[in-house]
Amino acid sequence: MADLPDLKAIMQDAATMVAYEGPFDDTEVQQWLDKAIEQYKAHGHWLWAVVERRSSQTIGQCGITWQQVNDQLVLEVGYLFNRAFWHQGFATEAARACLDWAFGQLGAEEVFAIVRDTNVASMNVAIRLGMTIRTRFVKHFRGIDMPHFAFAITRQNASQWCGRGLGADLKH
């Protein structure tokens, strides 16, 4: 619950949340945090806070979640950052660390990144991670049908892309 103010700073910013059709209100942010707590209890993981080492400031969230892609339940690396920290490599760095964790700790054979088809910056992160598009599908969220791409990388292909940290820590 102590992360709620930092989470609000991210999720209540209109530019940050454009792929979600706009900022979340207080209730939606609280529901997001409640879901995180529920997923930690059920699976032992979800999105972690990303803390910038030099300032100890929470700058985003990144982690491994279970998501539905068509009829398949998949592990996904998700990332969402405070707009002030975009285009500095933090999302790629944190997502690489999460991929390392998913392949090493969970024994995953494949990890996905689910990206709205209008979110070019997040697509570029997935591409920098060595992921390729596997399928296109529609998610229904906040009353809207939102086309998404499902990028993925296998354990076999991940070794050349992962394990290159730059300066942020994951906190869980």
Side-chain angles (χ1 to χ4, degrees):
M1 297 310 288
D3 291 332
L4 189 60
D6 292 326
L7 196 55
K8 283 183 177 183
I10 296 165
M11 301 187 82
Q12 292 185 331
D13 178 75
T16 299
M17 299 301 289
V18 70
Y20 291 84
E21 289 297 314
F24 282 24
D25 62 27
D26 286 346
T27 300
E28 290 170 309
V29 176
Q30 184 64 58
Q31 289 171 342
W32 185 274
L33 185 57
D34 292 344
K35 181 177 180 176
I37 293 166
E38 173 188 307
Q39 291 299 306
Y40 276 112
K41 288 178 183 174
H43 303 289
H45 58 88
W46 202 59
L47 299 175
W48 291 295
V50 179
V51 178
E52 201 268 331
R53 285 182 187 156
R54 285 175 281 147
S55 67
S56 298
Q57 180 181 357
T58 299
I59 61 172
Q61 54 183 334
C62 186
I64 302 295
T65 67
W66 286 102
Q67 299 291 330
Q68 195 76 32
V69 175
N70 295 323
D71 295 330
Q72 183 181 8
L73 190 62
V74 302
L75 283 173
E76 182 218 16
V77 60
Y79 36 89
L80 183 61
F81 281 78
N82 183 306
R83 182 167 40 117
F85 295 91
W86 288 1
H87 309 295
Q88 297 178 46
F90 290 114
T92 303
E93 173 188 355
R96 277 191 184 127
C98 290
L99 287 176
D100 283 344
W101 187 84
F103 291 122
Q105 298 298 311
L106 297 180
E109 291 300 322
E110 184 172 46
V111 178
F112 286 73
I114 298 168
V115 181
R116 183 137 182 220
D117 70 348
T118 57
N119 192 341
V120 175
S122 286
M123 285 184 225
N124 286 332
V125 170
I127 291 165
R128 281 192 293 276
L129 295 170
M131 296 181 152
T132 57
I133 295 173
R134 299 295 164 80
T135 191
R136 188 170 190 260
F137 68 105
V138 175
K139 287 179 75 168
H140 188 77
F141 186 69
R142 297 178 94 186
I144 300 167
D145 287 335
M146 300 178 182
H148 281 70
F149 290 112
F151 289 79
I153 190 167
T154 63
R155 168 192 294 277
Q156 181 179 5
N157 292 330
S159 61
Q160 66 180 318
W161 299 98
C162 297
R164 300 183 226 166
L166 299 173
D169 292 320
L170 302 175
K171 177 181 87 173
H172 59 269

